[in-house]
Amino acid sequence: MTTIRPAKITKVLPDSIAAEIGFEVGDAIAAINGTQPRDLIDYKFLCSDEFLELEVLDASGKTHYVEIEKDYDEDLGLEFETALFDGLIQCNNRCPFCFIDQQPPGKRSSLYFKDDDYRLSFLYGSYLTLTNLPEREWQRIEQMRLSPLYVSVHATEPDIRIRLLKNQRGGQILEQLRWFQKRRLQIHAQVVVCPGINDGQHLEQTLRDLASFYTDEVPTVASVAVVPVGLTRFRPEQDELVPVTPEKAQEVIAQVQLLTREFRQKSGSNIAWLADEWFLIGGAELPSESEYEEYPQIDNGVGSIRLFIKQFETAAAELLPDEIPSTRKLTWVVGNAVEKAFQPIVQRLNNVAGLEVNMQALNSNYWGQAISVTGLITGHDLLINLKGQDLGEGILLPNVMLKHGELVFLDDMSVAEVAQQLNTKILPVAGVEELINTCISDTVKI
């Protein structure tokens, strides 16, 4: 039986119920109305009541009982060390394209944990395969209406999916989708295309099968992202994978666009979308903004370039001045995959008198990729490409290069370490408004 640990508090939001009561960082919630929360899902469900009795451990380990009366669904204002109080449900597949297995050895152990946890899928949109769930977890998904979940399908033909996941339970995917359909629960699907394995006629079969679940007012399969396999120089030998060539990218683009036109005529939606990487690898024009509908797969790199450009244009019209009071020179680091697409943004920033922004579009020597998306650029790549260069007053660093919630790159180098070696300041930026404000605002310390 998995041990449930008390939920350790890392932040108490100001002016919240918890702040008013006197909760402190380091306290931990052991039970809510007599029930131990397994995870953040339980915590939110249990805390929705109007009357709460909390069993709380303070930092010294002493137990306190706190009674709270509040409005229904009113948040307490607490944040926790982790979303899972009973530990991570780990992956039981051996996918040859798994990014965890394509990392170098010798890094901290947490980098090698393979999560396949439906709770992280529900809370944060991470993808899972549904191959490791005992019956009680299926029951919990149904009872708590945990929808949508994000599912790595890859192939709907049982033998192809089993081959990709190296797991006999992988062949149950259509049966599992029917389970979601019967209960009116939704998923967003992902198909990682591995040339020679699940492309061609297999890809068409997969997309047609998934599109067949786009029915009713609440489609079981709400969207599908088609993503090219990403390979690094650390990948296992004899993994039967081959990289996506420009020719293969063009072939997949043509195939999927033909299918999505058909889906759109039948259902009013594309249902499936190609990740931006296909167009960058294939040297093809990105689809127009209208093609992406409500951007249902934005976190999978589907439409992220178009959306970023649109958001920049909107924010620039409002925020960018004609000139800034004092001159400023900055270096904006991105992956070389977006170099051409982001040129208009650089030109617009440099139209501001007194502002000079130089874009450095890098590939990832660390991962061994000639074409790299921004999120895979590492501290190692910055040092190799930027050492000894005039970087101006600092580096504008998209925070997608950093681990979630940490000032650490994917290669485990810290931002501070890289800044010291490059002898410059590194300014992490999240989104277009922060990018613009960091460029022009005197309140931002350069």
Side-chain angles (χ1 to χ4, degrees), residues 123-155:
L123 290 167
Y124 306 121
S126 59
Y127 277 85
L128 77 159
T129 62
L130 302 173
T131 59
N132 61 353
L133 297 181
E135 182 58 31
R136 64 185 176 89
E137 303 296 5
W138 284 103
Q139 290 172 2
R140 188 178 185 224
I141 292 169
E142 179 179 5
Q143 290 163 0
M144 300 192 76
R145 308 293 297 170
L146 301 183
S147 173
L149 296 182
Y150 293 75
V151 179
S152 289
V153 173
H154 306 323

Side-chain angles (χ1 to χ4, degrees), residues 4 41 63 68 153 168 174 176 195 212 219 248 255 293 320 353:
I4 301 176
I41 298 169
T63 301
I68 299 173
V153 173
Q168 287 297 317
L174 287 175
Q176 291 164 339
S212 73
K248 173 56 72 173
Q255 178 186 18
E293 297 174 24
L320 271 185

Side-chain angles (χ1 to χ4, degrees), residues 120-358:
L120 297 181
S121 184
F122 174 71
L123 290 167
Y124 306 121
S126 59
Y127 277 85
L128 77 159
T129 62
L130 302 173
T131 59
N132 61 353
L133 297 181
E135 182 58 31
R136 64 185 176 89
E137 303 296 5
W138 284 103
Q139 290 172 2
R140 188 178 185 224
I141 292 169
E142 179 179 5
Q143 290 163 0
M144 300 192 76
R145 308 293 297 170
L146 301 183
S147 173
L149 296 182
Y150 293 75
V151 179
S152 289
V153 173
H154 306 323
T156 52
E157 295 166 274
D159 58 331
I160 302 295
R161 193 165 192 257
I162 289 168
R163 179 182 174 188
L164 284 167
L165 301 188
K166 305 289 192 289
N167 186 334
Q168 287 297 317
R169 295 182 71 180
Q172 300 170 1
I173 187 63
L174 287 175
E175 179 185 329
Q176 291 164 339
L177 290 177
R178 286 190 282 271
W179 184 93
F180 282 92
Q181 186 176 47
K182 184 177 178 182
R183 290 155 180 81
R184 292 176 65 80
L185 299 172
Q186 286 189 296
I187 72 151
H188 292 279
Q190 169 181 260
V191 176
V192 174
V193 176
C194 302
I197 302 177
N198 65 337
D199 57 345
Q201 66 185 49
H202 303 299
L203 177 58
E204 178 172 349
Q205 182 68 54
T206 295
L207 295 182
R208 288 193 181 280
D209 284 343
L210 292 174
S212 73
F213 287 92
Y214 192 90
T215 55
D216 307 322
E217 289 181 20
V218 182
T220 304
V221 175
S223 70
V224 185
V226 181
V227 183
V229 66
L231 305 177
T232 81
R233 63 188 175 95
F234 303 110
R235 69 189 225 248
E237 292 182 14
Q238 300 175 322
D239 59 10
E240 70 175 338
L241 299 179
V242 295
V244 173
T245 62
E247 294 75 23
K248 173 56 72 173
Q250 291 161 14
E251 174 193 313
V252 172
I253 290 168
Q255 178 186 18
V256 173
Q257 287 184 334
L258 189 65
L259 283 168
T260 56
R261 279 196 292 272
E262 178 187 323
F263 297 158
R264 192 163 56 246
Q265 287 176 349
K266 288 181 179 178
S267 67
S269 171
N270 279 23
I271 304 175
W273 284 269
L274 291 151
D276 293 355
E277 287 174 76
W278 290 108
F279 301 95
L280 302 172
I281 295 170
E285 192 71 29
L286 287 163
S288 64
E289 185 196 330
S290 62
E291 286 284 308
Y292 293 106
E293 297 174 24
E294 300 299 319
Y295 293 96
Q297 289 275 0
I298 190 69
D299 291 335
N300 226 335
V302 177
S304 55
I305 294 175
R306 279 282 180 229
L307 185 60
F308 190 89
I309 292 170
K310 177 190 176 183
Q311 290 173 337
F312 177 84
E313 289 170 350
T314 302
E318 182 183 339
L319 299 174
L320 271 185
D322 293 330
E323 62 179 316
I324 54 176
S326 53
T327 59
R328 180 172 292 176
K329 179 180 178 181
L330 297 164
T331 299
W332 184 26
V333 176
V334 297
N336 64 352
V338 298
E339 181 175 13
K340 181 180 175 183
F342 282 2
Q343 284 294 346
I345 292 177
V346 177
Q347 291 170 8
R348 180 70 180 87
L349 290 170
N350 286 327
N351 283 341
V352 177
L355 177 63
E356 181 183 346
V357 175
N358 296 315

